[in-house]
Amino acid sequence: MELFDRVMGYAGQPVTTALEIGAGTGKATRLFARQGVGVTATEPDGAMLAELRKHVPAGVRTVQAAFEDLRPGVRYGLVYAAAALHWTSPEGRWSRMAALLEPGGVFASFGGSVRLADPGVAAAVQAAREPFLESDEIPSPDGTPPEHDMQWPGTELQRSEWFTDVRQSVIERRVTMSAPDYIGHLSTVSAYLILPAAEREQAFDQIMRVLPGTVGLVADVTLHLARRCRDTSP
């Protein structure tokens, strides 16, 4: 709810329609739809879309499409991406995004890495992972160093002629999950997804061996917000 409240507080007015990019299994979809926002959720993967449709309210419209395949037509009060924006093509990203938004409409991107809270467990997992993967961190798509105050995609939004009033904030989260659920989380991380299937399964087996039954995680969410310029037409 804190995420929803921050997005709506930034909007400064009721948001009735939203387009979600890369909805996945629909966690963010449910968050917005249950607060009365009319959500159109897009997802390019057919199997993922089928799973999404099992878990979202009946009023959610679902569309199988990649961001690059969406065509301007209906404009939305909000366009958002939950840990999915880095899968989109940088070419024409922001003009295409602006074309999907009402003038003055809001773009939101949110997500963040999940890291083990216990340094000892983190070191053991790193050692187990190293034969297969040096790091599972996702590098910044535009090369922004992690110590910079503004991170991607805020950096790109600040340079874009289509958007203004770019803001970044962090929502602190601490969660606990079982070891199998943590492995399930790793199976969605792009660094593991690009490994050959056999190596990926070996890495997960080795990591599982060093995990305790439950693990504590630092799962802070970084939220970027920007407003579509009213006087610029894509």
Side-chain angles (χ1 to χ4, degrees), residues 93-174:
R93 178 187 283 137
W94 300 114
S95 60
R96 185 176 291 114
M97 198 75 71
L100 297 166
L101 277 166
E102 300 168 354
V106 173
F107 169 74
S109 175
F110 44 90
S113 60
V114 173
R115 59 184 176 84
L116 293 158
D118 186 308
V121 175
V125 167
Q126 180 179 352
R129 183 192 65 224
E130 276 182 339
F132 311 96
L133 194 62
E134 184 176 343
S135 173
D136 60 6
E137 292 292 324
I138 300 173
S140 172
D142 68 351
T144 302
E147 64 270 14
H148 278 206
D149 290 339
M150 179 63 73
Q151 290 294 307
W152 185 90
T155 46
E156 283 189 9
L157 284 160
Q158 287 179 326
R159 296 191 293 267
S160 170
E161 63 183 298
W162 310 110
F163 289 89
T164 187
D165 193 18
V166 180
R167 302 185 195 178
Q168 173 180 291
S169 61
V170 175
I171 300 169
E172 293 186 358
R173 292 176 66 234
R174 301 294 182 272

Side-chain angles (χ1 to χ4, degrees), residues 40-231:
T40 296
T42 66
E43 169 56 48
D45 183 80
M48 191 72 77
L49 187 71
E51 192 67 22
L52 168 71
R53 287 171 172 159
K54 296 176 185 178
H55 300 293
V56 295
V60 172
R61 179 172 177 255
T62 57
V63 178
Q64 184 172 359
F67 172 63
E68 293 75 20
D69 296 330
L70 297 174
R71 295 292 176 260
V74 177
R75 289 190 171 185
Y76 300 85
L78 169 69
V79 176
Y80 68 91
L85 193 68
H86 64 284
W87 293 111
T88 64
S89 171
E91 185 177 352
R93 178 187 283 137
W94 300 114
S95 60
R96 185 176 291 114
M97 198 75 71
L100 297 166
L101 277 166
E102 300 168 354
V106 173
F107 169 74
S109 175
F110 44 90
S113 60
V114 173
R115 59 184 176 84
L116 293 158
D118 186 308
V121 175
V125 167
Q126 180 179 352
R129 183 192 65 224
E130 276 182 339
F132 311 96
L133 194 62
E134 184 176 343
S135 173
D136 60 6
E137 292 292 324
I138 300 173
S140 172
D142 68 351
T144 302
E147 64 270 14
H148 278 206
D149 290 339
M150 179 63 73
Q151 290 294 307
W152 185 90
T155 46
E156 283 189 9
L157 284 160
Q158 287 179 326
R159 296 191 293 267
S160 170
E161 63 183 298
W162 310 110
F163 289 89
T164 187
D165 193 18
V166 180
R167 302 185 195 178
Q168 173 180 291
S169 61
V170 175
I171 300 169
E172 293 186 358
R173 292 176 66 234
R174 301 294 182 272
V175 298
T176 301
M177 64 176 60
S178 68
D181 284 347
Y182 178 66
I183 296 296
H185 158 71
L186 293 183
S187 71
T188 69
V189 174
S190 56
Y192 292 95
L193 289 173
I194 62 177
L195 286 174
E199 288 188 24
R200 183 166 60 246
E201 291 308 314
Q202 290 176 29
F204 290 157
D205 286 344
Q206 292 302 314
I207 292 170
M208 189 68 184
R209 292 173 187 271
V210 302
L211 290 174
T214 59
V215 292
L217 302 169
V218 177
D220 294 348
V221 175
T222 300
L223 169 64
H224 287 96
L225 293 162
R227 199 177 307 277
R228 183 197 185 280
C229 296
R230 294 183 179 275
D231 57 353

